[in-house]
Amino acid sequence: MCTALTLTSKDGFHFFGRNMDIDYNFNQSVIFVPRNLDWENVVNGESNKTKYALLGMGTLMNNHPLLADGMNEKGLGCAGLNFLGFAHFEENRLAGKVNLGPYDLMLWILSNFGSVSEVKSALEEVNLINKPFAPKLPVPTLHWMVHDKNEESIVIETTPDRIAVYDNKIGVLTNQPAFDWHIMNLNQYMALSPMQPETTTWHKQQLEPIGNGLGLKGLPGDFYPSSRFVRSAFLKNHAAFLDTKESTISEFFHILGNVAPIGGSVITQEGKQFITLYSSCMCLENGVYYYNTYNNSQINAIDMFKEDLDGHEIKVFKYPDTQAINFQN
Ligand SMILES: C[C@H](CCC(=O)NCCS(=O)(=O)O)[C@H]1CC[C@H]2[C@@H]3[C@H](O)C[C@@H]4C[C@H](O)CC[C@]4(C)[C@H]3C[C@H](O)[C@]12C
């Protein structure tokens, strides 16, 4: 389970982020990657250079950033979410195409493009290959959401029949099944409302709400992908406190918190605890990566523009996972 989300503040800041729901940790931390950094495409051994600097959550392996979500200096964001049982990658490289392992699609997107429209046309050249990054690593079974500060969003899904690039007009993504299924499913919940229903009479019995929130009766409350999709789409669409950048960041974490599995609530078939390892919220205008972790609900922030974009080193930030408490006396 994972949930990705977009929100825009009334003072013009665009936010993009996600919950990372998982039953293990992948040695994740926030990673800064400067411009002009060489990286090797392991699918064909070709050398690439980053055009844009980027900042995101991931893991560094052989000095190669393997990203789970991130943004670049141009205000383009990307997140990879599980698409288990549906994602399909090709066995063979194709001449004349950009052949990439799925773990490198995000690095390729964020290091080369400045907007969703640029990504859309470039995707026509991409061929995703079913080859692990290293012999013992699994090929990640992902679909991706890409968002920019022009408020354009897409979802990329590669299935056996096609590479689908959907315009994401709702601004959320969860997991399987395919994005178009979730949108069709959403139609079934359009009657949900933040407003209270009016008092009515059934036969001779008058009926009235016993408390607030009756307009939302039927909103799925569980952590299944389709339920998180509906819940985050409703909450996002009705989010009320978006006046400023700060209030929007707060709303962002409130919405992600509402769809975040809590230890003990979801146990995998292997008997492992499925939790939201971290939640991220990236400001695409000012390049700040805000995040909190399962054991530290304080919001941490890393500003890409405080780093040397033309530097020569990848920087890995410490992952804060001990609860920080603001004692007031
Ligand atoms: C499993 C993660 C997605 C979380 C998610 O969507 N969970 C939902 C589960 S479910 O459907 O609801 O059951 C994905 C997102 C990014 C992935 C990681 C990134 O792709 C970076 C590397 C890539 C390597 O090839 C594999 C390890 C890895 C470190 C990946 C492990 C795993 O596949 C991650 C962490």
Side-chain angles (χ1 to χ4, degrees), residues 1-2 18 20-22 24 26 59 61 66-68 80-84 102-103 132-133 137-142 175-176 225 228 274:
M1 305 173 194
C2 277
R18 62 100 57 80
M20 169 60 76
D21 303 341
I22 201 165
Y24 58 95
F26 54 96
T59 186
M61 228 170 259
L66 294 169
L67 297 167
L81 287 81
N82 221 10
F83 193 40
L84 193 65
Y103 34 81
F133 175 75
L137 274 186
V139 175
T141 51
L142 303 174
N175 305 105
Q176 45 285 345
R228 283 181 288 105
F274 214 95

PDB file of all heavy atoms in Angstrom, residues 1-2 18 20-22 24 26 59 61 66-68 80-84 102-103 132-133 137-142 175-176 225 228 274, ligand 1:
ATOM      1  N   MET A   1       0.847  -1.197   0.000  1.00  0.00           N
ATOM      2  CA  MET A   1       0.000   0.000   0.000  1.00  0.00           C
ATOM      3  C   MET A   1       0.871   1.231   0.000  1.00  0.00           C
ATOM      4  O   MET A   1       1.867   1.282   0.679  1.00  0.00           O
ATOM      5  CB  MET A   1      -0.844   0.065   1.261  1.00  0.00           C
ATOM      6  CG  MET A   1      -1.650  -1.147   1.485  1.00  0.00           C
ATOM      7  SD  MET A   1      -2.383  -0.994   3.073  1.00  0.00           S
ATOM      8  CE  MET A   1      -2.929  -2.650   3.293  1.00  0.00           C
ATOM      9  N   CYS A   2       0.453   2.092  -0.687  1.00  0.00           N
ATOM     10  CA  CYS A   2       1.119   3.400  -0.727  1.00  0.00           C
ATOM     11  C   CYS A   2       0.086   4.376  -1.250  1.00  0.00           C
ATOM     12  O   CYS A   2      -0.783   3.966  -2.025  1.00  0.00           O
ATOM     13  CB  CYS A   2       2.266   3.434  -1.743  1.00  0.00           C
ATOM     14  SG  CYS A   2       3.811   2.771  -1.116  1.00  0.00           S
ATOM     15  N   ARG A  18       3.889  11.402  -0.746  1.00  0.00           N
ATOM     16  CA  ARG A  18       3.328  10.055  -0.661  1.00  0.00           C
ATOM     17  C   ARG A  18       3.522   9.444   0.719  1.00  0.00           C
ATOM     18  O   ARG A  18       4.360   9.900   1.506  1.00  0.00           O
ATOM     19  CB  ARG A  18       4.034   9.193  -1.674  1.00  0.00           C
ATOM     20  CG  ARG A  18       5.582   9.045  -1.432  1.00  0.00           C
ATOM     21  CD  ARG A  18       5.993   7.761  -0.752  1.00  0.00           C
ATOM     22  NE  ARG A  18       5.600   6.569  -1.395  1.00  0.00           N
ATOM     23  CZ  ARG A  18       6.213   6.024  -2.443  1.00  0.00           C
ATOM     24  NH1 ARG A  18       7.298   6.600  -2.936  1.00  0.00           N
ATOM     25  NH2 ARG A  18       5.783   4.897  -2.950  1.00  0.00           N
ATOM     26  N   MET A  20       4.829   5.886   2.198  1.00  0.00           N
ATOM     27  CA  MET A  20       5.544   4.662   1.815  1.00  0.00           C
ATOM     28  C   MET A  20       5.071   3.556   2.754  1.00  0.00           C
ATOM     29  O   MET A  20       5.461   3.480   3.907  1.00  0.00           O
ATOM     30  CB  MET A  20       7.050   4.867   1.957  1.00  0.00           C
ATOM     31  CG  MET A  20       7.869   3.591   1.840  1.00  0.00           C
ATOM     32  SD  MET A  20       7.689   2.733   0.274  1.00  0.00           S
ATOM     33  CE  MET A  20       8.686   3.736  -0.802  1.00  0.00           C
ATOM     34  N   ASP A  21       4.160   2.719   2.248  1.00  0.00           N
ATOM     35  CA  ASP A  21       3.597   1.643   3.068  1.00  0.00           C
ATOM     36  C   ASP A  21       4.304   0.346   2.707  1.00  0.00           C
ATOM     37  O   ASP A  21       4.293  -0.070   1.547  1.00  0.00           O
ATOM     38  CB  ASP A  21       2.096   1.508   2.815  1.00  0.00           C
ATOM     39  CG  ASP A  21       1.355   2.805   3.070  1.00  0.00           C
ATOM     40  OD1 ASP A  21       1.910   3.675   3.758  1.00  0.00           O
ATOM     41  OD2 ASP A  21       0.225   2.926   2.574  1.00  0.00           O
ATOM     42  N   ILE A  22       4.856  -0.306   3.691  1.00  0.00           N
ATOM     43  CA  ILE A  22       5.764  -1.402   3.384  1.00  0.00           C
ATOM     44  C   ILE A  22       5.981  -2.233   4.646  1.00  0.00           C
ATOM     45  O   ILE A  22       5.718  -1.758   5.752  1.00  0.00           O
ATOM     46  CB  ILE A  22       7.088  -0.778   2.838  1.00  0.00           C
ATOM     47  CG1 ILE A  22       7.904  -1.750   2.028  1.00  0.00           C
ATOM     48  CG2 ILE A  22       7.886  -0.102   3.919  1.00  0.00           C
ATOM     49  CD1 ILE A  22       8.999  -1.075   1.187  1.00  0.00           C
ATOM     50  N   TYR A  24       9.009  -3.705   5.346  1.00  0.00           N
ATOM     51  CA  TYR A  24      10.448  -3.783   5.612  1.00  0.00           C
ATOM     52  C   TYR A  24      11.020  -2.377   5.417  1.00  0.00           C
ATOM     53  O   TYR A  24      10.295  -1.477   4.988  1.00  0.00           O
ATOM     54  CB  TYR A  24      11.139  -4.765   4.659  1.00  0.00           C
ATOM     55  CG  TYR A  24      11.001  -4.474   3.187  1.00  0.00           C
ATOM     56  CD1 TYR A  24      11.967  -3.764   2.490  1.00  0.00           C
ATOM     57  CD2 TYR A  24       9.885  -4.930   2.462  1.00  0.00           C
ATOM     58  CE1 TYR A  24      11.844  -3.499   1.136  1.00  0.00           C
ATOM     59  CE2 TYR A  24       9.758  -4.671   1.103  1.00  0.00           C
ATOM     60  CZ  TYR A  24      10.736  -3.961   0.444  1.00  0.00           C
ATOM     61  OH  TYR A  24      10.608  -3.683  -0.893  1.00  0.00           O
ATOM     62  N   PHE A  26      14.195  -0.219   3.479  1.00  0.00           N
ATOM     63  CA  PHE A  26      15.151  -0.459   2.383  1.00  0.00           C
ATOM     64  C   PHE A  26      16.361   0.466   2.510  1.00  0.00           C
ATOM     65  O   PHE A  26      16.922   0.902   1.528  1.00  0.00           O
ATOM     66  CB  PHE A  26      14.473  -0.360   1.008  1.00  0.00           C
ATOM     67  CG  PHE A  26      13.716   0.920   0.751  1.00  0.00           C
ATOM     68  CD1 PHE A  26      14.307   1.973   0.065  1.00  0.00           C
ATOM     69  CD2 PHE A  26      12.402   1.076   1.166  1.00  0.00           C
ATOM     70  CE1 PHE A  26      13.617   3.156  -0.194  1.00  0.00           C
ATOM     71  CE2 PHE A  26      11.706   2.265   0.919  1.00  0.00           C
ATOM     72  CZ  PHE A  26      12.301   3.292   0.247  1.00  0.00           C
ATOM     73  N   THR A  59      17.662   4.842  -1.789  1.00  0.00           N
ATOM     74  CA  THR A  59      18.807   4.179  -1.195  1.00  0.00           C
ATOM     75  C   THR A  59      19.956   4.248  -2.194  1.00  0.00           C
ATOM     76  O   THR A  59      19.721   4.234  -3.410  1.00  0.00           O
ATOM     77  CB  THR A  59      18.448   2.730  -0.782  1.00  0.00           C
ATOM     78  OG1 THR A  59      19.527   2.163  -0.078  1.00  0.00           O
ATOM     79  CG2 THR A  59      18.099   1.858  -1.970  1.00  0.00           C
ATOM     80  N   MET A  61      23.152   2.615  -3.832  1.00  0.00           N
ATOM     81  CA  MET A  61      23.787   1.308  -4.001  1.00  0.00           C
ATOM     82  C   MET A  61      24.891   1.449  -5.040  1.00  0.00           C
ATOM     83  O   MET A  61      24.606   1.877  -6.166  1.00  0.00           O
ATOM     84  CB  MET A  61      22.738   0.310  -4.474  1.00  0.00           C
ATOM     85  CG  MET A  61      22.769  -0.983  -3.693  1.00  0.00           C
ATOM     86  SD  MET A  61      21.346  -1.989  -4.100  1.00  0.00           S
ATOM     87  CE  MET A  61      20.326  -1.655  -2.694  1.00  0.00           C
ATOM     88  N   LEU A  66      18.910   4.837  -6.016  1.00  0.00           N
ATOM     89  CA  LEU A  66      17.691   4.104  -6.353  1.00  0.00           C
ATOM     90  C   LEU A  66      16.560   4.818  -5.622  1.00  0.00           C
ATOM     91  O   LEU A  66      16.487   4.785  -4.395  1.00  0.00           O
ATOM     92  CB  LEU A  66      17.804   2.648  -5.890  1.00  0.00           C
ATOM     93  CG  LEU A  66      18.865   1.820  -6.620  1.00  0.00           C
ATOM     94  CD1 LEU A  66      19.090   0.485  -5.927  1.00  0.00           C
ATOM     95  CD2 LEU A  66      18.470   1.585  -8.079  1.00  0.00           C
ATOM     96  N   LEU A  67      15.701   5.495  -6.375  1.00  0.00           N
ATOM     97  CA  LEU A  67      14.747   6.424  -5.772  1.00  0.00           C
ATOM     98  C   LEU A  67      13.350   5.835  -5.612  1.00  0.00           C
ATOM     99  O   LEU A  67      12.882   5.060  -6.457  1.00  0.00           O
ATOM    100  CB  LEU A  67      14.641   7.673  -6.642  1.00  0.00           C
ATOM    101  CG  LEU A  67      15.930   8.502  -6.778  1.00  0.00           C
ATOM    102  CD1 LEU A  67      15.788   9.518  -7.900  1.00  0.00           C
ATOM    103  CD2 LEU A  67      16.258   9.180  -5.454  1.00  0.00           C
ATOM    104  N   ALA A  68      12.676   6.252  -4.542  1.00  0.00           N
ATOM    105  CA  ALA A  68      11.278   5.865  -4.327  1.00  0.00           C
ATOM    106  C   ALA A  68      10.352   7.043  -4.632  1.00  0.00           C
ATOM    107  O   ALA A  68       9.218   6.863  -5.069  1.00  0.00           O
ATOM    108  CB  ALA A  68      11.080   5.398  -2.890  1.00  0.00           C
ATOM    109  N   GLY A  80       7.174   6.351  -7.131  1.00  0.00           N
ATOM    110  CA  GLY A  80       6.924   4.976  -7.585  1.00  0.00           C
ATOM    111  C   GLY A  80       6.110   4.247  -6.521  1.00  0.00           C
ATOM    112  O   GLY A  80       6.462   4.268  -5.347  1.00  0.00           O
ATOM    113  N   LEU A  81       5.007   3.639  -6.947  1.00  0.00           N
ATOM    114  CA  LEU A  81       4.136   2.905  -6.018  1.00  0.00           C
ATOM    115  C   LEU A  81       3.982   1.482  -6.524  1.00  0.00           C
ATOM    116  O   LEU A  81       3.987   1.255  -7.749  1.00  0.00           O
ATOM    117  CB  LEU A  81       2.764   3.581  -5.919  1.00  0.00           C
ATOM    118  CG  LEU A  81       2.702   4.902  -5.146  1.00  0.00           C
ATOM    119  CD1 LEU A  81       3.156   6.071  -6.010  1.00  0.00           C
ATOM    120  CD2 LEU A  81       1.286   5.164  -4.655  1.00  0.00           C
ATOM    121  N   ASN A  82       3.782   0.576  -5.598  1.00  0.00           N
ATOM    122  CA  ASN A  82       3.662  -0.824  -5.993  1.00  0.00           C
ATOM    123  C   ASN A  82       2.488  -1.034  -6.947  1.00  0.00           C
ATOM    124  O   ASN A  82       1.415  -0.453  -6.773  1.00  0.00           O
ATOM    125  CB  ASN A  82       3.442  -1.674  -4.735  1.00  0.00           C
ATOM    126  CG  ASN A  82       4.234  -2.953  -4.786  1.00  0.00           C
ATOM    127  OD1 ASN A  82       5.079  -3.143  -5.659  1.00  0.00           O
ATOM    128  ND2 ASN A  82       3.973  -3.853  -3.866  1.00  0.00           N
ATOM    129  N   PHE A  83       2.716  -1.889  -7.945  1.00  0.00           N
ATOM    130  CA  PHE A  83       1.674  -2.225  -8.928  1.00  0.00           C
ATOM    131  C   PHE A  83       1.764  -3.732  -9.151  1.00  0.00           C
ATOM    132  O   PHE A  83       1.861  -4.232 -10.275  1.00  0.00           O
ATOM    133  CB  PHE A  83       1.944  -1.419 -10.208  1.00  0.00           C
ATOM    134  CG  PHE A  83       0.836  -1.386 -11.207  1.00  0.00           C
ATOM    135  CD1 PHE A  83      -0.497  -1.261 -10.819  1.00  0.00           C
ATOM    136  CD2 PHE A  83       1.110  -1.463 -12.563  1.00  0.00           C
ATOM    137  CE1 PHE A  83      -1.522  -1.216 -11.764  1.00  0.00           C
ATOM    138  CE2 PHE A  83       0.105  -1.417 -13.522  1.00  0.00           C
ATOM    139  CZ  PHE A  83      -1.215  -1.296 -13.107  1.00  0.00           C
ATOM    140  N   LEU A  84       1.734  -4.418  -8.043  1.00  0.00           N
ATOM    141  CA  LEU A  84       2.007  -5.854  -7.981  1.00  0.00           C
ATOM    142  C   LEU A  84       0.972  -6.677  -8.766  1.00  0.00           C
ATOM    143  O   LEU A  84      -0.230  -6.475  -8.615  1.00  0.00           O
ATOM    144  CB  LEU A  84       2.001  -6.281  -6.509  1.00  0.00           C
ATOM    145  CG  LEU A  84       2.561  -7.655  -6.192  1.00  0.00           C
ATOM    146  CD1 LEU A  84       4.046  -7.707  -6.501  1.00  0.00           C
ATOM    147  CD2 LEU A  84       2.315  -7.986  -4.726  1.00  0.00           C
ATOM    148  N   PRO A 102      13.252  -0.591 -14.397  1.00  0.00           N
ATOM    149  CA  PRO A 102      12.202   0.215 -13.765  1.00  0.00           C
ATOM    150  C   PRO A 102      12.706   1.033 -12.578  1.00  0.00           C
ATOM    151  O   PRO A 102      12.189   2.109 -12.312  1.00  0.00           O
ATOM    152  CB  PRO A 102      11.157  -0.819 -13.330  1.00  0.00           C
ATOM    153  CG  PRO A 102      11.717  -2.147 -13.639  1.00  0.00           C
ATOM    154  CD  PRO A 102      12.904  -2.003 -14.517  1.00  0.00           C
ATOM    155  N   TYR A 103      13.748   0.559 -11.882  1.00  0.00           N
ATOM    156  CA  TYR A 103      14.334   1.301 -10.754  1.00  0.00           C
ATOM    157  C   TYR A 103      14.994   2.589 -11.218  1.00  0.00           C
ATOM    158  O   TYR A 103      15.269   3.471 -10.407  1.00  0.00           O
ATOM    159  CB  TYR A 103      15.397   0.442 -10.026  1.00  0.00           C
ATOM    160  CG  TYR A 103      16.132  -0.443 -10.982  1.00  0.00           C
ATOM    161  CD1 TYR A 103      17.190   0.037 -11.747  1.00  0.00           C
ATOM    162  CD2 TYR A 103      15.685  -1.742 -11.199  1.00  0.00           C
ATOM    163  CE1 TYR A 103      17.805  -0.771 -12.686  1.00  0.00           C
ATOM    164  CE2 TYR A 103      16.303  -2.554 -12.141  1.00  0.00           C
ATOM    165  CZ  TYR A 103      17.363  -2.057 -12.886  1.00  0.00           C
ATOM    166  OH  TYR A 103      17.958  -2.851 -13.829  1.00  0.00           O
ATOM    167  N   PRO A 132      17.144  -7.074 -12.967  1.00  0.00           N
ATOM    168  CA  PRO A 132      17.393  -6.462 -11.659  1.00  0.00           C
ATOM    169  C   PRO A 132      18.590  -5.527 -11.693  1.00  0.00           C
ATOM    170  O   PRO A 132      19.480  -5.677 -12.529  1.00  0.00           O
ATOM    171  CB  PRO A 132      17.657  -7.659 -10.739  1.00  0.00           C
ATOM    172  CG  PRO A 132      18.022  -8.777 -11.627  1.00  0.00           C
ATOM    173  CD  PRO A 132      17.412  -8.524 -12.980  1.00  0.00           C
ATOM    174  N   PHE A 133      18.604  -4.595 -10.758  1.00  0.00           N
ATOM    175  CA  PHE A 133      19.734  -3.664 -10.665  1.00  0.00           C
ATOM    176  C   PHE A 133      21.009  -4.418 -10.272  1.00  0.00           C
ATOM    177  O   PHE A 133      22.092  -4.125 -10.755  1.00  0.00           O
ATOM    178  CB  PHE A 133      19.425  -2.568  -9.637  1.00  0.00           C
ATOM    179  CG  PHE A 133      20.577  -1.648  -9.397  1.00  0.00           C
ATOM    180  CD1 PHE A 133      20.918  -0.684 -10.335  1.00  0.00           C
ATOM    181  CD2 PHE A 133      21.354  -1.762  -8.248  1.00  0.00           C
ATOM    182  CE1 PHE A 133      22.000   0.163 -10.130  1.00  0.00           C
ATOM    183  CE2 PHE A 133      22.444  -0.923  -8.036  1.00  0.00           C
ATOM    184  CZ  PHE A 133      22.766   0.044  -8.987  1.00  0.00           C
ATOM    185  N   LEU A 137      18.792  -8.474  -6.120  1.00  0.00           N
ATOM    186  CA  LEU A 137      17.703  -7.519  -5.887  1.00  0.00           C
ATOM    187  C   LEU A 137      16.498  -7.880  -6.736  1.00  0.00           C
ATOM    188  O   LEU A 137      16.649  -8.263  -7.904  1.00  0.00           O
ATOM    189  CB  LEU A 137      18.144  -6.111  -6.278  1.00  0.00           C
ATOM    190  CG  LEU A 137      18.886  -5.269  -5.253  1.00  0.00           C
ATOM    191  CD1 LEU A 137      19.070  -3.873  -5.817  1.00  0.00           C
ATOM    192  CD2 LEU A 137      18.114  -5.202  -3.942  1.00  0.00           C
ATOM    193  N   PRO A 138      15.289  -7.710  -6.186  1.00  0.00           N
ATOM    194  CA  PRO A 138      14.107  -7.939  -7.034  1.00  0.00           C
ATOM    195  C   PRO A 138      13.914  -6.772  -8.009  1.00  0.00           C
ATOM    196  O   PRO A 138      14.359  -5.660  -7.732  1.00  0.00           O
ATOM    197  CB  PRO A 138      12.961  -7.960  -6.015  1.00  0.00           C
ATOM    198  CG  PRO A 138      13.454  -7.151  -4.861  1.00  0.00           C
ATOM    199  CD  PRO A 138      14.957  -7.310  -4.825  1.00  0.00           C
ATOM    200  N   VAL A 139      13.280  -7.044  -9.133  1.00  0.00           N
ATOM    201  CA  VAL A 139      12.880  -5.954 -10.028  1.00  0.00           C
ATOM    202  C   VAL A 139      11.640  -5.331  -9.394  1.00  0.00           C
ATOM    203  O   VAL A 139      10.665  -6.039  -9.131  1.00  0.00           O
ATOM    204  CB  VAL A 139      12.545  -6.498 -11.441  1.00  0.00           C
ATOM    205  CG1 VAL A 139      12.021  -5.385 -12.335  1.00  0.00           C
ATOM    206  CG2 VAL A 139      13.774  -7.153 -12.059  1.00  0.00           C
ATOM    207  N   PRO A 140      11.640  -4.027  -9.085  1.00  0.00           N
ATOM    208  CA  PRO A 140      10.469  -3.452  -8.399  1.00  0.00           C
ATOM    209  C   PRO A 140       9.250  -3.424  -9.326  1.00  0.00           C
ATOM    210  O   PRO A 140       9.365  -3.090 -10.512  1.00  0.00           O
ATOM    211  CB  PRO A 140      10.925  -2.040  -8.035  1.00  0.00           C
ATOM    212  CG  PRO A 140      12.026  -1.720  -8.964  1.00  0.00           C
ATOM    213  CD  PRO A 140      12.674  -3.010  -9.364  1.00  0.00           C
ATOM    214  N   THR A 141       8.108  -3.812  -8.784  1.00  0.00           N
ATOM    215  CA  THR A 141       6.875  -3.895  -9.590  1.00  0.00           C
ATOM    216  C   THR A 141       6.076  -2.611  -9.400  1.00  0.00           C
ATOM    217  O   THR A 141       5.157  -2.571  -8.596  1.00  0.00           O
ATOM    218  CB  THR A 141       6.042  -5.103  -9.126  1.00  0.00           C
ATOM    219  OG1 THR A 141       5.914  -4.985  -7.696  1.00  0.00           O
ATOM    220  CG2 THR A 141       6.701  -6.415  -9.462  1.00  0.00           C
ATOM    221  N   LEU A 142       6.435  -1.579 -10.142  1.00  0.00           N
ATOM    222  CA  LEU A 142       5.908  -0.244  -9.851  1.00  0.00           C
ATOM    223  C   LEU A 142       5.018   0.319 -10.952  1.00  0.00           C
ATOM    224  O   LEU A 142       5.105  -0.093 -12.113  1.00  0.00           O
ATOM    225  CB  LEU A 142       7.080   0.729  -9.660  1.00  0.00           C
ATOM    226  CG  LEU A 142       8.095   0.378  -8.576  1.00  0.00           C
ATOM    227  CD1 LEU A 142       9.267   1.347  -8.619  1.00  0.00           C
ATOM    228  CD2 LEU A 142       7.443   0.382  -7.203  1.00  0.00           C
ATOM    229  N   ASN A 175      -2.443   1.800  -5.297  1.00  0.00           N
ATOM    230  CA  ASN A 175      -1.804   0.625  -5.904  1.00  0.00           C
ATOM    231  C   ASN A 175      -2.744  -0.047  -6.901  1.00  0.00           C
ATOM    232  O   ASN A 175      -3.640   0.594  -7.423  1.00  0.00           O
ATOM    233  CB  ASN A 175      -1.352  -0.329  -4.788  1.00  0.00           C
ATOM    234  CG  ASN A 175      -0.449   0.370  -3.786  1.00  0.00           C
ATOM    235  OD1 ASN A 175      -0.866   0.690  -2.684  1.00  0.00           O
ATOM    236  ND2 ASN A 175       0.773   0.665  -4.185  1.00  0.00           N
ATOM    237  N   GLN A 176      -2.526  -1.363  -7.107  1.00  0.00           N
ATOM    238  CA  GLN A 176      -3.321  -2.117  -8.048  1.00  0.00           C
ATOM    239  C   GLN A 176      -4.803  -2.089  -7.665  1.00  0.00           C
ATOM    240  O   GLN A 176      -5.071  -1.943  -6.472  1.00  0.00           O
ATOM    241  CB  GLN A 176      -2.815  -3.571  -8.123  1.00  0.00           C
ATOM    242  CG  GLN A 176      -2.528  -4.228  -6.778  1.00  0.00           C
ATOM    243  CD  GLN A 176      -1.230  -3.740  -6.124  1.00  0.00           C
ATOM    244  OE1 GLN A 176      -0.414  -3.132  -6.754  1.00  0.00           O
ATOM    245  NE2 GLN A 176      -1.060  -3.990  -4.839  1.00  0.00           N
ATOM    246  N   PRO A 225      -6.058  -0.824  -1.238  1.00  0.00           N
ATOM    247  CA  PRO A 225      -5.720   0.224  -2.211  1.00  0.00           C
ATOM    248  C   PRO A 225      -6.924   1.027  -2.721  1.00  0.00           C
ATOM    249  O   PRO A 225      -6.878   2.266  -2.789  1.00  0.00           O
ATOM    250  CB  PRO A 225      -5.058  -0.557  -3.353  1.00  0.00           C
ATOM    251  CG  PRO A 225      -4.473  -1.775  -2.689  1.00  0.00           C
ATOM    252  CD  PRO A 225      -5.415  -2.112  -1.567  1.00  0.00           C
ATOM    253  N   ARG A 228      -8.171   3.402   0.041  1.00  0.00           N
ATOM    254  CA  ARG A 228      -7.292   4.557   0.239  1.00  0.00           C
ATOM    255  C   ARG A 228      -7.415   5.534  -0.913  1.00  0.00           C
ATOM    256  O   ARG A 228      -7.305   6.741  -0.732  1.00  0.00           O
ATOM    257  CB  ARG A 228      -5.828   4.095   0.404  1.00  0.00           C
ATOM    258  CG  ARG A 228      -5.533   3.532   1.772  1.00  0.00           C
ATOM    259  CD  ARG A 228      -4.090   3.102   1.906  1.00  0.00           C
ATOM    260  NE  ARG A 228      -3.783   1.901   1.167  1.00  0.00           N
ATOM    261  CZ  ARG A 228      -3.113   1.843   0.030  1.00  0.00           C
ATOM    262  NH1 ARG A 228      -2.621   2.926  -0.517  1.00  0.00           N
ATOM    263  NH2 ARG A 228      -2.900   0.684  -0.573  1.00  0.00           N
ATOM    264  N   PHE A 274       2.759  -4.268   8.381  1.00  0.00           N
ATOM    265  CA  PHE A 274       2.688  -3.362   7.240  1.00  0.00           C
ATOM    266  C   PHE A 274       2.383  -1.957   7.762  1.00  0.00           C
ATOM    267  O   PHE A 274       1.312  -1.724   8.303  1.00  0.00           O
ATOM    268  CB  PHE A 274       1.562  -3.843   6.337  1.00  0.00           C
ATOM    269  CG  PHE A 274       1.840  -3.625   4.904  1.00  0.00           C
ATOM    270  CD1 PHE A 274       2.395  -4.628   4.142  1.00  0.00           C
ATOM    271  CD2 PHE A 274       1.576  -2.402   4.320  1.00  0.00           C
ATOM    272  CE1 PHE A 274       2.680  -4.410   2.808  1.00  0.00           C
ATOM    273  CE2 PHE A 274       1.861  -2.185   2.995  1.00  0.00           C
ATOM    274  CZ  PHE A 274       2.412  -3.199   2.237  1.00  0.00           C
TER     275      PHE A 274
HETATM  276  C1  LIG B   1       7.509  -1.544  -2.256  1.00  0.00           C
HETATM  277  C2  LIG B   1       7.689  -0.047  -2.516  1.00  0.00           C
HETATM  278  C3  LIG B   1       6.337   0.527  -2.877  1.00  0.00           C
HETATM  279  C4  LIG B   1       5.481   0.610  -1.650  1.00  0.00           C
HETATM  280  C5  LIG B   1       4.090   0.257  -2.005  1.00  0.00           C
HETATM  281  O1  LIG B   1       3.509   0.698  -2.974  1.00  0.00           O
HETATM  282  N1  LIG B   1       3.534  -0.628  -1.208  1.00  0.00           N
HETATM  283  C6  LIG B   1       2.212  -1.119  -1.462  1.00  0.00           C
HETATM  284  C7  LIG B   1       2.132  -2.592  -1.176  1.00  0.00           C
HETATM  285  S1  LIG B   1       0.614  -3.256  -1.713  1.00  0.00           S
HETATM  286  O2  LIG B   1       0.670  -3.267  -3.148  1.00  0.00           O
HETATM  287  O3  LIG B   1      -0.468  -2.480  -1.219  1.00  0.00           O
HETATM  288  O4  LIG B   1       0.598  -4.598  -1.152  1.00  0.00           O
HETATM  289  C8  LIG B   1       8.716   0.244  -3.616  1.00  0.00           C
HETATM  290  C9  LIG B   1       8.743   1.758  -3.977  1.00  0.00           C
HETATM  291  C10 LIG B   1      10.173   2.069  -4.420  1.00  0.00           C
HETATM  292  C11 LIG B   1      10.858   0.708  -4.433  1.00  0.00           C
HETATM  293  C12 LIG B   1      12.372   0.699  -4.275  1.00  0.00           C
HETATM  294  C13 LIG B   1      13.024   1.545  -5.357  1.00  0.00           C
HETATM  295  O5  LIG B   1      12.580   1.133  -6.644  1.00  0.00           O
HETATM  296  C14 LIG B   1      14.538   1.469  -5.244  1.00  0.00           C
HETATM  297  C15 LIG B   1      15.100   0.022  -5.187  1.00  0.00           C
HETATM  298  C16 LIG B   1      15.059  -0.668  -6.549  1.00  0.00           C
HETATM  299  C17 LIG B   1      15.646  -2.070  -6.462  1.00  0.00           C
HETATM  300  O6  LIG B   1      15.596  -2.654  -7.718  1.00  0.00           O
HETATM  301  C18 LIG B   1      14.849  -2.901  -5.478  1.00  0.00           C
HETATM  302  C19 LIG B   1      14.928  -2.256  -4.112  1.00  0.00           C
HETATM  303  C20 LIG B   1      14.405  -0.815  -4.104  1.00  0.00           C
HETATM  304  C21 LIG B   1      14.803  -0.253  -2.728  1.00  0.00           C
HETATM  305  C22 LIG B   1      12.878  -0.767  -4.312  1.00  0.00           C
HETATM  306  C23 LIG B   1      12.162  -1.618  -3.249  1.00  0.00           C
HETATM  307  C24 LIG B   1      10.625  -1.520  -3.373  1.00  0.00           C
HETATM  308  O7  LIG B   1      10.191  -2.061  -4.586  1.00  0.00           O
HETATM  309  C25 LIG B   1      10.177  -0.045  -3.295  1.00  0.00           C
HETATM  310  C26 LIG B   1      10.545   0.477  -1.915  1.00  0.00           C
END
